[in-house]
């Protein structure tokens, strides 16, 4: 059992010390992945980036992830039995949310992309792995040297699925059975916009970059004030 995301990030960072070098970038999924990413970036002394992604929940159980969407496109893992109208509406809502995020909550700062970099892709956990799979697909377009998925807790099936897609999947806890990420945290409160901004400002204060990957070729400064909560399961 993990105490909270702070402890989770600290434990995970210990498993990632081998990636401490100038060509490593931590990429976090908001909102829950940002505290995780902060502590990893802090311990390794590497930049922290944020990839705006939101899960697509099942109509009968929003905590069950069926896919994910970014700023311009989407990925559906399990469309069987789900109406096209539901998927279309959900994607439209997510795209609008992320467009507002892009419009209102960042300052542009162009820096070198992820080409030939080691990317540590982090979130606070995964059950289906659909959100992280979508993120992997997006990051692969930038041709990084390698992608490492790092999460505090994950299902056996998600680990097995993502191992086929990336160089490594690093996890603190792989339980025999998992239905939600929250059940493996004593404190799994939603991460507020203010907390997100605080973490990114703290990493800036350490002299490391706080960025938002708004496209695969442009990395942007992020001041995250969006009120929506995204939690990968």
């Amino acid at each position: 059992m993990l105490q909270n995301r702070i402890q989770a990030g600290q434990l995970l960072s210990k498993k990632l010390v081998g990636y401490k070098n100038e060509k490593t970038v931590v990429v976090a999924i908001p909102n829950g992945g940002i505290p995780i990413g902060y502590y990893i970036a802090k311990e390794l002394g590497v930049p922290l980036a944020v990839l705006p992604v939101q899960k697509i929940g099942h109509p009968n159980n929003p905590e069950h992830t069926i896919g994910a969407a970014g700023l311009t496109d989407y990925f559906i893992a399990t469309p069987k039995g789900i109406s096209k109208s539901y998927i279309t509406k959900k994607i439209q809502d997510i795209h609008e949310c992320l467009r507002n995020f892009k419009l209102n909550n960042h300052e542009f700062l162009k820096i070198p992309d992820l080409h030939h970099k080691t990317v540590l892709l982090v979130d606070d956990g995964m059950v289906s792995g659909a959100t992280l799979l979508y993120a992997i697909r997006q990051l692969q377009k930038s041709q990084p040297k390698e992608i490492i998925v790092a999460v505090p807790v994950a299902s056996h099936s998600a680990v097995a699925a993502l191992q086929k897609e990336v160089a490594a999947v690093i996890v603190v806890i792989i339980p025999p059975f998992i239905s939600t990420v929250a059940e493996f945290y004593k404190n799994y409160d939603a991460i507020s916009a203010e907390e997100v901004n605080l973490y990114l400002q703290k990493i800036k204060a350490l002299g490391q970059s706080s960025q938002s990957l708004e496209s695969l070729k442009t990395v942007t400064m992020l001041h995250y004030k969006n009120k929506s909560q995204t939690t990968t399961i």
Side-chain angles (χ1 to χ4, degrees), residues 16-34:
L16 298 169
V17 292
Y19 299 100
K20 183 176 182 178
N21 63 70
E22 70 277 3
K23 291 191 175 182
T24 294
V25 178
V26 176
V27 176
I29 304 295
N31 282 5
I34 289 180

Side-chain angles (χ1 to χ4, degrees), residues 13 33-34 52 62 68 71 85 92 104 117 125 132 151 153 167 180 188 205 214 218 226:
S13 67
I34 289 180
L71 284 165
S85 61
Q92 288 174 344
N104 299 319
K117 298 289 182 67
L132 283 165
V151 293
V153 59
T180 67
Y188 195 69
E214 63 132 306
T218 303
N226 189 355

Side-chain angles (χ1 to χ4, degrees), residues 159-227:
V159 171
L162 295 192
Q163 281 176 333
K164 301 173 184 178
E165 306 288 336
V166 297
V169 179
I170 298 174
V171 186
V172 177
I173 301 172
I174 305 178
F177 176 79
I178 177 172
S179 58
T180 67
V181 169
E183 65 191 279
F184 291 91
Y185 284 84
K186 288 186 178 180
N187 183 335
Y188 195 69
D189 293 341
I191 304 298
S192 69
E194 291 75 16
E195 287 177 285
V196 170
N197 189 267
L198 175 63
Y199 281 115
L200 297 179
Q201 293 298 329
K202 287 167 71 175
I203 203 76
K204 283 176 64 178
L206 294 174
Q208 295 155 230
S209 300
S210 298
Q211 315 293 340
S212 167
L213 300 172
E214 63 132 306
S215 74
L216 284 243
K217 295 299 180 183
T218 303
V219 185
T220 61
M221 291 296 292
L222 172 64
H223 297 283
Y224 195 94
K225 299 176 184 175
N226 189 355
K227 297 297 183 181

Side-chain angles (χ1 to χ4, degrees), residues 137-157:
R137 295 279 191 264
Q138 298 304 301
L139 294 171
Q140 285 172 337
K141 296 175 185 178
S142 287
Q143 298 181 322
K145 175 185 175 183
E146 59 183 351
I147 298 173
I148 312 297
V149 170
V151 293
V153 59
S155 67
H156 283 280
S157 60

Side-chain angles (χ1 to χ4, degrees), residues 52 71-72 95-108 212-215 218 220-224 226:
L71 284 165
T72 59
H95 283 173
E96 181 179 0
C97 175
L98 295 179
R99 281 194 297 268
N100 289 336
F101 153 77
K102 175 185 173 183
L103 179 66
N104 299 319
N105 301 313
H106 70 266
E107 302 169 3
F108 285 97
S212 167
L213 300 172
E214 63 132 306
S215 74
T218 303
T220 61
M221 291 296 292
L222 172 64
H223 297 283
Y224 195 94
N226 189 355

Side-chain angles (χ1 to χ4, degrees), residues 4-9 32 35-36 124 185 187-189 191 229 231:
N4 49 38
R5 293 181 182 88
I6 294 173
Q7 185 203 36
I36 311 291
D124 56 11
Y185 284 84
N187 183 335
Y188 195 69
D189 293 341
I191 304 298
Q229 166 71 9
T231 305

Side-chain angles (χ1 to χ4, degrees), residues 55-120:
K55 74 176 183 182
I56 302 172
H58 193 283
N60 298 328
N61 181 7
E63 292 303 307
H64 175 62
T65 302
I66 62 170
L71 284 165
T72 59
D73 58 4
Y74 65 92
F75 163 76
I76 299 293
T78 54
K80 187 176 181 180
I82 301 171
S83 70
K84 185 177 179 180
S85 61
Y86 170 82
I87 293 174
T88 300
K89 179 64 166 60
K90 195 69 178 175
I91 291 168
Q92 288 174 344
D93 290 345
I94 292 173
H95 283 173
E96 181 179 0
C97 175
L98 295 179
R99 281 194 297 268
N100 289 336
F101 153 77
K102 175 185 173 183
L103 179 66
N104 299 319
N105 301 313
H106 70 266
E107 302 169 3
F108 285 97
L109 178 64
K110 201 165 186 177
I111 66 171
D113 63 24
L114 300 176
H115 191 55
H116 293 316
K117 298 289 182 67
T118 293
V119 175
L120 304 181

